[in-house]
């Protein structure tokens, strides 16, 4: 084989290789990988039951929790805003907040909303959406073990001086809210399940959990049985937002679609309706805000 023939064969091989890479890249871009906690994914699939998220409007079922509502609303907003690229979900036992996938551009977005202060700390890497839960809207219940008589007798914020609570210092708003209260002691525990066990065993008196009216505010799982105080709730005084990676190839387009879709959902009243059905926006004719007594 002469030099010219060998050279042509070499360049043909290079051209074929580059075309193969381009084809692979194009195929990969036809969907977006989404890493998600397996328990959230299980509840999401049970709630949607094979339907488009746009068809889901009942949030008063047993499958609803705050992060599942977030997931439905985000998907609705993206579709309404014109971003219909399919997601390939990759569920697993992952604490997404402990990863840097978003900041590295390996994850497009988080289906779990962020407190504004938490998102602002990463504004150089993340787009921050308009508020989904606005400041002054988010209340949590005080959940405690059924037999805890100290909690049953709670009648004012002054009674907290004899009570203990548990949370995580990584949850900025929850931790700051509880730190501002006149508690006997606030325990720092990073794992939610461990917090619930501590409350269930009455090693501490209570923890903050969004209300669950569809379950009678009676949380039961794996030997844990907690109930919320029937009278008091605590305001977590910040706003919650979706975040989108600035470094992901689809980041800017997804963010613009998200913003358009959220505006439509807000005008339709569907954001407030979803969170109200699930109990995150409680009926304040039924409850009183415990930490309002600190104002």
């Amino acid at each position: 084989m002469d030099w010219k023939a060998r050279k042509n064969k070499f360049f043909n091989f290079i051209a074929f290789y580059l075309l193969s890479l381009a084809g692979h890249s194009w195929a990969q871009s036809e969907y977006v990988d989404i890493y998600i906690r397996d328990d959230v994914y299980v509840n999401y699939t049970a709630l949607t039951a094979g339907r488009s998220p746009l068809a889901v409007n009942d949030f008063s079922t047993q499958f609803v929790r705050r992060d599942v509502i977030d997931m439905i609303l985000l998907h609705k907003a993206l579709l309404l805003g014109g971003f219909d690229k399919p997601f390939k979900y990759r569920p697993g036992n992952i604490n997404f907040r402990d990863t840097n996938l978003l900041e590295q551009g390996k994850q497009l977005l988080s289906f779990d909303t962020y407190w504004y202060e938490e998102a602002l700390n990463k504004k150089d890497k993340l787009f921050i959406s308009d508020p989904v839960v606005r400041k002054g809207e988010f209340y949590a219940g005080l959940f405690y073990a059924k037999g805890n008589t100290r909690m049953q007798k709670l009648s004012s914020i002054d009674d907290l001086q004899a009570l203990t609570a548990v949370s995580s210092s990584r949850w900025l708003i929850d931790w700051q809210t509880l730190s501002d209260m006149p508690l006997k002691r606030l325990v720092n525990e990073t794992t939610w399940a461990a917090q619930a066990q501590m409350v269930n065993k009455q090693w501490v008196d209570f923890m903050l959990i969004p209300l669950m009216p569809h379950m009678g505010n009676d949380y039961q799982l794996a030997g844990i049985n907690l109930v919320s105080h029937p009278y008091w709730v605590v305001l977590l005084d910040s706003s919650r937002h979706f975040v989108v990676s600035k470094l992901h190839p689809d980041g800017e387009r997804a963010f613009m679609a998200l913003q358009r879709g959220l505006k439509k959902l807000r005008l339709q009243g569907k954001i407030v309706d979803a969170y109200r059905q699930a109990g995150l926006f409680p009926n304040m004719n039924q409850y009183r805000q415990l930490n309002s007594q600190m104002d």
Side-chain angles (χ1 to χ4, degrees):
M1 182 183 294
D2 62 19
W3 166 246
K4 185 175 181 180
R6 287 198 300 270
K7 185 169 71 171
N8 287 340
K9 186 175 181 180
F10 175 76
F11 281 116
N12 287 338
F13 172 78
I14 293 296
F16 176 78
Y17 179 72
L18 292 174
L19 284 171
S20 297
L21 285 180
H24 177 72
S25 176
W26 178 84
Q28 286 292 89
S29 68
E30 288 304 287
Y31 61 82
V32 179
D33 281 318
I34 295 291
Y35 298 92
I36 187 169
R37 283 210 330 262
D38 45 13
D39 57 329
V40 176
Y41 183 69
V42 166
N43 281 270
Y44 170 79
T45 53
L47 181 60
T48 54
R51 299 171 294 167
S52 164
L54 291 172
V56 179
N57 294 299
D58 182 5
F59 296 92
S60 58
T61 75
Q62 61 177 317
F63 305 115
V64 167
R65 35 195 265 190
R66 197 257 319 147
D67 42 16
V68 175
I69 300 174
D70 288 351
M71 190 171 178
I72 294 288
L73 290 176
L74 176 53
H75 214 152
K76 279 178 181 277
L78 288 171
L79 292 170
L80 289 172
F83 188 88
D84 57 0
K85 197 169 187 178
F87 293 146
K88 178 172 281 189
Y89 293 110
R90 301 188 180 279
N93 185 16
I94 179 173
N95 187 339
F96 186 73
R97 299 303 177 87
D98 287 343
T99 71
N100 292 314
L101 295 177
L102 274 173
E103 291 93 320
Q104 294 171 356
K106 296 178 181 178
Q107 171 96 335
L108 173 61
L109 46 77
S110 172
F111 277 116
D112 191 1
T113 51
Y114 280 49
W115 290 114
Y116 180 68
E117 291 80 358
E118 183 182 9
L120 200 60
N121 286 338
K122 303 177 180 182
K123 66 179 182 179
D124 58 325
K125 302 286 181 62
L126 303 177
F127 294 112
I128 305 173
S129 79
D130 291 337
V132 188
V133 177
R134 295 169 295 195
K135 186 177 173 69
E137 289 183 330
F138 197 112
Y139 290 87
L142 289 80
F143 278 74
Y144 55 92
K146 272 192 171 181
N148 190 324
T149 56
R150 295 181 300 277
M151 288 299 298
Q152 294 168 8
K153 294 176 182 177
L154 178 63
S155 61
S156 76
I157 198 164
D158 293 334
D159 294 337
L160 292 179
Q161 297 177 58
L163 299 174
T164 57
V166 62
S167 186
S168 170
S169 59
R170 296 186 304 173
W171 305 344
L172 301 181
I173 301 303
D174 302 61
W175 187 259
Q176 187 60 55
T177 299
L178 289 167
S179 296
D180 289 341
M181 292 180 170
L183 290 163
K184 179 180 179 181
R185 181 164 55 101
L186 175 58
V187 177
N188 187 10
E189 168 55 56
T190 58
T191 307
W192 191 94
Q195 294 177 18
Q197 282 286 9
M198 293 173 71
V199 175
N200 188 60
K201 295 178 183 296
Q202 296 191 43
W203 295 343
V204 292
D205 290 305
F206 72 93
M207 62 189 294
L208 298 180
I209 305 177
L211 295 172
M212 298 173 279
H214 55 284
M215 297 172 60
N217 292 315
D218 188 340
Y219 179 82
Q220 300 183 43
L221 181 67
I224 295 172
N225 191 185
L226 308 179
V227 295
S228 73
H229 198 283
Y231 185 64
W232 295 109
V233 290
V234 170
L235 174 67
L236 298 175
D237 198 19
S238 184
S239 54
R240 293 190 70 90
H241 304 251
F242 290 117
V243 296
V244 179
S245 174
K246 289 183 176 181
L247 299 181
H248 192 280
D250 293 306
E252 187 170 1
R253 185 165 69 89
F255 178 69
M256 297 303 293
L258 172 62
Q259 290 288 75
R260 289 193 296 268
L262 286 176
K263 284 180 171 62
K264 292 179 182 179
L265 290 173
R266 179 68 69 189
L267 288 172
Q268 294 167 1
K270 291 190 175 181
I271 296 176
V272 170
D273 189 49
Y275 288 120
R276 182 172 288 138
Q277 282 186 48
L280 269 73
F281 298 170
N283 181 354
M284 294 309 288
N285 292 322
Q286 178 183 348
Y287 293 97
R288 289 190 61 188
Q289 179 189 332
L290 182 62
N291 52 341
S292 68
Q293 298 182 19
M294 299 189 302
D295 295 342

